[in-house]
Amino acid sequence: MPRAGTQAVDLGGGRGQLTIPVAQLARGYRFLVVDRFEGPYARSRRRLGSAAAALGLSDRIAVRRAEALAWLQAQPSGGFDAILSGEFLPELTSATMQEVLQECHRCLRPAGTCVHLFLSPTPRNKRQSLFIEADADPRWSKRPPVEWFSPPPRLVAAQLRAAGFTGVATERSPSGVAVRGDAARDVLSKMAVKAAFVQAHGAFLDARGLEVPDWVVAVGRKGPGQGPDRA
Ligand SMILES: C[S@@+](CC[C@H](N)C(=O)[O-])C[C@H]1O[C@@H](n2cnc3c(N)ncnc32)[C@H](O)[C@@H]1O
């Protein structure tokens, strides 16, 4: 059991898609959701507050509206027991991701854990490949990503090691989420995909649909006294 007040941070926690279920499972933990809540995510803060209140979790989930890297850089060393994220690393560039992971290492207490979930950039079938293309290709996406759909798991692992983490591992598992026809069109409109994509791929969307890519979980632990650290 975690000790009372064990403190976890959820970077880019949004409306709590990861924080809420983890908070329900990890009852001894308090959570800090750090998110800038801008643009398409502007309403996430209110949604997180409502969801936490409805589930009786408000006393264990606090929110900081901030840019994640700047917020981490302002924290003292060794203050947190766990730092998590869900679909936050895809929002970064490779250079910023390395800085964020270095700061995660510094901000964790010895033996603290870093856990990052993100969708795999490597499709296992055509339905996943189309999902990735719709989200990341500037021909189709109204908000194409700066660098990638998602970081390669091998790079995340290498950057965790470079930041000083030990026991680094990545694991991939199927999302199990597939949609077809109108349901696929609905998902695409929520992803801000241009109508031209639906026109180009309508027949495939009706016959085969889209599949959310596999989930990747990347973990590392702060070995006591190991790796780059800053006082
Ligand atoms: C795709 S959403 C993921 C939300 C949630 N964590 C999940 O598991 O689904 C990405 C979130 O990261 C936040 N975000 C992106 N870049 C950020 C940054 N540099 N600093 C803080 N928050 C950021 C966005 O506001 C958004 O809430």
Side-chain angles (χ1 to χ4, degrees), residues 205-227:
L205 293 176
D206 288 332
R208 305 273 311 282
L210 295 173
E211 183 177 330
V212 176
D214 295 358
W215 280 104
V216 177
V217 56
V219 298
R221 181 166 285 252
K222 180 167 176 174
Q226 288 178 355

Side-chain angles (χ1 to χ4, degrees), residues 123 125-134 177-188 191 197-198 201-213:
N125 58 41
K126 170 85 175 142
R127 296 189 305 170
Q128 290 190 346
S129 133
L130 215 51
F131 183 102
I132 293 171
E133 189 184 319
V177 180
V179 281
R180 215 165 50 177
D182 287 345
R185 288 180 177 79
D186 193 41
V187 166
L188 290 167
M191 287 163 62
F197 178 87
V198 177
H201 296 287
F204 188 89
L205 293 176
D206 288 332
R208 305 273 311 282
L210 295 173
E211 183 177 330
V212 176

Side-chain angles (χ1 to χ4, degrees), residues 4-167:
T6 302
Q7 185 71 61
V9 175
D10 184 0
L11 298 173
R15 52 194 163 91
Q17 298 97 314
L18 180 64
T19 326
I20 298 268
V22 175
Q24 287 179 298
L25 290 171
R27 299 227 152 248
Y29 277 76
R30 305 179 71 79
F31 292 82
L32 260 182
V33 172
V34 179
D35 197 299
R36 59 187 182 194
F37 298 115
E38 282 175 0
Y41 304 111
R43 282 189 291 192
S44 295
R45 183 175 186 161
R46 201 152 26 112
R47 293 174 74 176
L48 169 63
S50 313
L55 293 163
L57 298 170
S58 305
D59 57 335
R60 290 198 292 118
I61 299 180
V63 178
R64 299 286 180 273
R65 180 178 197 147
E67 199 285 319
L69 178 58
W71 184 85
L72 284 165
Q73 286 167 336
Q75 304 310 303
S77 297
F80 300 114
D81 299 275
I83 300 182
L84 332 167
S85 80
E87 274 293 275
F88 167 68
L89 298 185
E91 305 269 325
L92 309 177
T93 61
S94 44
T96 309
M97 183 168 81
Q98 181 68 86
E99 286 187 87
V100 164
L101 296 178
Q102 272 159 355
E103 284 301 306
C104 288
H105 187 271
R106 184 185 65 77
C107 291
L108 283 168
R109 67 164 172 75
T113 307
C114 205
V115 184
H116 298 280
L117 277 79
F118 50 95
L119 295 176
S120 169
T122 312
R124 67 163 76 235
N125 58 41
K126 170 85 175 142
R127 296 189 305 170
Q128 290 190 346
S129 133
L130 215 51
F131 183 102
I132 293 171
E133 189 184 319
D135 187 68
D137 190 324
R139 278 180 307 158
W140 310 125
S141 174
K142 295 180 196 163
R143 298 191 300 261
V146 182
E147 186 168 339
W148 45 32
F149 168 75
S150 217
R154 253 198 248 186
L155 178 66
V156 177
Q159 290 197 351
L160 282 166
R161 286 190 196 98
F165 286 100
T166 57

